[in-house]
């Protein structure tokens, strides 16, 4: 899969060797990716919890084993394993949508993203109208 140029540029500014951290998004049928700073943020969230805390152990077991560090080839491509393709519903070869998310980005199957985007826009509009605010 070819990583779009804007995402490659962002990764190379933050991580000159050009690799990325990739894993399944645990809240959606998508992949989440970012540079070393993304992994550092995950580890910071885990470190905020006390040792042996059940939620800390859950995050360690539920996130870290499923993250992979991938290197981009000369053309900016990455090789996605079957576990990633299956999780995101991506066919190989096929199309994918890259979605920026502040310090990371997601990779979605296009129809799944369209559904998620429509739902997110509706919820954001309701929130901005003052619906659902506490």
């Amino acid at each position: 899969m070819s990583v779009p140029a804007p995402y490659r540029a962002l990764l190379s500014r933050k991580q000159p060797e050009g690799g990325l951290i990739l894993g399944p998004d645990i809240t959606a049928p998508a992949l989440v990716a970012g540079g070393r700073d993304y992994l550092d943020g995950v580890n910071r969230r885990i470190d905020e919890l006390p040792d042996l805390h059940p939620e800390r152990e859950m995050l360690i077991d539920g996130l870290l084993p499923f993250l992979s560090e991938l290197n981009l080839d000369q053309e900016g491509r990455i090789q996605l394993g079957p576990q990633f393709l299956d999780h995101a519903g991506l066919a190989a070869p096929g199309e994918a949508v890259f979605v920026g998310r502040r310090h990371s980005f997601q990779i979605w199957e296009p129809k799944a993203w369209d559904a998620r985007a429509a739902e997110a826009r509706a919820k954001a509009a309701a929130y901005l109208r003052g619906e659902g605010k506490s």
Side-chain angles (χ1 to χ4, degrees):
M1 171 174 292
S2 182
V3 177
Y7 296 101
R8 290 194 314 263
L10 177 65
L11 288 170
S12 66
R13 281 195 302 269
K14 294 183 173 204
Q15 189 168 319
E17 59 273 12
L20 66 90
I21 307 299
L22 180 81
D25 186 314
I26 61 172
T27 66
L31 303 176
V32 62
R36 175 66 56 188
D37 58 334
Y38 168 71
L39 181 59
D40 292 345
V42 169
N43 282 317
R44 268 194 306 280
R45 294 283 305 267
I46 291 169
D47 289 341
E48 290 172 358
L49 296 167
D51 287 344
L52 303 177
H53 191 282
E55 289 177 3
R56 178 186 172 108
E57 298 300 310
M58 176 194 57
L59 289 172
I60 289 170
D61 294 342
L63 288 175
L64 296 182
F66 304 101
L67 297 177
S68 294
E69 187 165 5
L70 304 175
N71 289 313
L72 283 73
D73 69 10
Q74 298 288 44
E75 286 78 38
R77 296 174 298 195
I78 54 173
Q79 182 85 23
L80 296 180
Q83 74 277 19
F84 295 132
L85 295 171
D86 290 345
H87 178 81
L90 296 168
E95 294 181 6
V97 175
F98 286 72
V99 178
R101 297 194 47 126
R102 297 189 59 206
H103 304 295
S104 63
F105 61 91
Q106 291 176 317
I107 304 171
W108 286 80
E109 186 279 325
K111 288 180 183 167
W113 169 248
D114 289 344
R116 174 67 171 251
E119 178 185 1
R121 280 192 304 268
K123 286 181 178 180
Y127 178 82
L128 292 174
R129 287 191 303 269
E131 301 167 17
K133 289 184 182 178
S134 341

